């Protein structure tokens, strides 16, 4: 009896061990399976997940397009881009902001009835770039081309969190004129350092000039000559900058294309350049401050966005062109070398629309390292919004595409993540009013 009892006990323990082993194996198998949460338009946002904002005038050809989206600390959604207004000289562009409530309605507490516009009847005000401070105030830079002579200057405007003009900054800000007159000046990019100082990159008469301003808009006279430094590119003359990033250690990262740039297929190479805090080439980066990279054998491409990750890695997105146009991403280490843990030797190419066009215009990274891209997909005449998610190492996980008006073109320009994990995506779409030939702001919110 004791022997039978012992055998029974051993069998029971063995079954228990086998069951436990199988359970652990199954759990490990489940954990190893990719979890691909699908994107869905958020019905709590305007009932459909989509909102359009227009800036009408008396014509039937007015248009607008959103380029950047921000989420303020009070959860107000800010969208900025360009719009047009009728003038005796025809449709002239200006800069437009829209403030939306979390439910997608225009927020009457922002600007005038939820919008703020900057437009002149004697000039073309072309939006270039914008950013948001931690308190919800914003800073943007634009090119102002006077009519009819066409002289060009740079305009920088800071708005309060509620959409009012910061008059102190407006009275102080000084970007040009300098010794060259700056009547052909064009803004390239704007950035803010961790200490609040502002960097503005400007091109004029074939040269590049870096301005450094104090937080109140006055010139930082400790930088360059009266706050201005001319940047000389000896190895090549870059004609197409994409991004300027103010790094935490005061260094400045520049990203752009190596000439020639053949629109729309792009260039065969792109570059990184890094400056020290004083504006000299950082010789600890690449070769004397430069890194020059080919898109690939037989490929041309376009870098459309650069993002500095929390770990110091540099993530790029855009597209490459071969038999068709495909989404492209690349990641580089802080020293300018490829991050070989990302994609295939640091590069990801994804063909979402074989035989057609798919482009990544912007990227956002969540705290877990996952990457979201937003852009366009489909034919060149009727593209749609494209949103996709990749793992932290560049593995594709999920994508969706959608239009705002059935059969009409649309495209996403920017994307950001809300703290609750929802995704805000902005761009343009054909005006839902078919009697108007122009486009409107298009804003979408998605869940995962």
């Amino acid at each position: 009896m004791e022997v039978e009892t012992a055998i029974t006990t051993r069998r029971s323990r063995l079954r228990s061990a086998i069951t436990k082993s199988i359970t652990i194996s199954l759990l490990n198998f489940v954990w190893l399976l990719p979890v691909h949460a699908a994107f869905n338009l958020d019905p709590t946002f305007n009932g459909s997940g989509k909102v359009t904002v227009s800036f009408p005038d008396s014509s039937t050809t007015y248009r607008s397009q959103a380029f950047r989206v921000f989420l303020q600390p009070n959860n107000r959604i800010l969208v900025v881009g360009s719009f047009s207004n009728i003038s005796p000289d025809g449709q002239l562009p200006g800069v437009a902001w829209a403030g939306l409530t979390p439910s997608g309605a225009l927020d009457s507490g922002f600007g005038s009835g939820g919008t703020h516009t900057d437009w002149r009847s004697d000039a073309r005000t072309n939006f270039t770039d914008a950013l948001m401070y931690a308190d919800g105030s914003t800073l943007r830079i634009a090119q102002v081309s006077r009519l009819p002579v066409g002289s060009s200057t740079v305009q920088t405007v800071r708005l309060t969190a509620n959409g009012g003009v910061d008059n102190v900054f407006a009275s102080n800000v000084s970007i040009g004129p300098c010794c060259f007159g700056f009547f052909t000046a064009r803004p390239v990019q704007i950035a803010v350092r961790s200490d609040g100082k502002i960097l503005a990159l400007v091109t004029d008469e074939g040269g590049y000039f870096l301005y450094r301003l104090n937080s109140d808009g006055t010139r930082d006279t400790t930088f360059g000559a009266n706050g201005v430094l001319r940047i000389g590119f000896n190895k090549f003359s870059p004609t197409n900058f994409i991004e300027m990033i103010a790094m935490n250690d005061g260094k400045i990262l520049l990203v752009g294309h190596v000439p020639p740039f053949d629109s729309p297929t792009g260039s065969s190479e792109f570059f990184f350049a890094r400056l020290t805090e004083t504006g000299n080439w950082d010789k600890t980066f690449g070769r004397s401050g430069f890194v020059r990279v080919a898109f690939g054998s037989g490929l041309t491409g376009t870098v459309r966005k650069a993002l500095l990750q929390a770990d110091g890695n540099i993530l790029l997105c855009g597209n490459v062109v071969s038999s068709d146009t495909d989404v492209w991403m690349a990641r580089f280490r802080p020293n300018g070398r490829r991050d070989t843990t990302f994609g295939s030797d640091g590069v990801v190419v994804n063909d979402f629309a074989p035989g057609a066009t798919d482009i990544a215009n912007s990227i956002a990274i969540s705290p877990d390292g996952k990457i979201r891209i937003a852009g366009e997909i489909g034919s060149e005449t009727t593209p749609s919004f494209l949103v996709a998610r990749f793992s932290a190492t560049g593995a594709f996980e999920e994508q969706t595409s959608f239009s705002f008006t059935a059969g009409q073109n649309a495209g996403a320009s920017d994307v950001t993540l809300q703290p609750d994990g929802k995704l805000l995506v902005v761009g343009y779409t054909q005006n839902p009013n078919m009697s108007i030939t122009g486009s409107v702001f298009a804003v979408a919110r998605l869940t995962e």
Side-chain angles (χ1 to χ4, degrees), residues 53-55 62-66 82-84 96 427-429 438-442:
V53 181
S54 62
F55 299 86
Y62 61 85
R63 59 193 180 276
S64 58
Q65 177 174 356
S82 64
F83 82 111
S84 69
Y428 77 95
T429 186
S439 57
V440 296
F441 277 21

Side-chain angles (χ1 to χ4, degrees), residues 153 169 210 290 352 366 373:
T153 56
F169 183 86
L210 183 62
F290 287 87
F352 290 106
S366 54
I373 64 107

Side-chain angles (χ1 to χ4, degrees), residues 101-294:
T101 66
S103 62
L106 283 173
D107 187 339
S108 60
F110 179 81
S112 176
T115 65
H116 172 92
T117 58
D118 186 352
W119 181 86
R120 293 172 54 161
S121 62
D122 64 343
R124 301 173 62 87
T125 305
N126 297 303
F127 173 85
T128 300
D129 189 29
L131 54 86
M132 187 181 74
Y133 291 87
D135 64 357
S137 59
T138 58
L139 182 68
R140 62 91 170 155
I141 194 167
Q143 177 190 29
V144 178
S145 299
R146 292 289 301 272
L147 299 175
V149 293
S151 65
S152 174
T153 56
V154 176
Q155 181 192 57
T156 303
V157 177
R158 189 158 68 194
L159 299 182
T160 66
N162 290 327
V165 175
D166 182 339
N167 290 317
V168 173
F169 183 86
S171 64
N172 289 337
V173 67
S174 175
I175 301 179
C178 180
C179 48
F180 299 104
F182 276 79
F183 296 123
T184 60
R186 178 176 60 85
V188 177
Q189 188 71 265
I190 196 164
V192 172
R193 300 184 351 154
S194 57
D195 62 1
K197 291 188 177 182
I198 299 163
L199 300 172
L201 184 62
V202 172
T203 181
D204 183 60
E205 295 184 354
Y208 287 89
F209 299 83
L210 183 62
Y211 283 76
R212 195 162 83 187
L213 309 177
N214 297 311
S215 59
D216 63 356
T218 57
R219 296 271 188 93
D220 178 4
T221 56
T222 66
F223 181 77
N226 192 30
V228 186
L229 181 72
R230 181 164 189 157
I231 303 174
F233 289 88
N234 298 324
K235 296 184 179 181
F236 53 87
S237 177
T239 58
N240 191 278
F241 275 103
I242 300 303
E243 201 81 48
M244 177 177 64
I245 298 172
M247 306 181 76
N248 293 332
D249 60 1
K251 294 180 180 180
I252 304 161
L253 184 69
L254 304 173
V255 184
H257 297 111
V258 176
F261 186 81
D262 181 22
S263 184
T265 64
S267 60
S268 60
E269 295 177 299
F270 59 95
F271 75 89
F272 299 100
R274 197 164 75 189
L275 303 174
T276 65
E277 186 176 11
T278 57
N280 297 312
W281 297 118
D282 180 4
K283 295 183 179 180
T284 66
F285 181 78
R287 292 187 176 182
S288 300
F290 287 87
V291 175
R292 185 168 176 165
V293 186

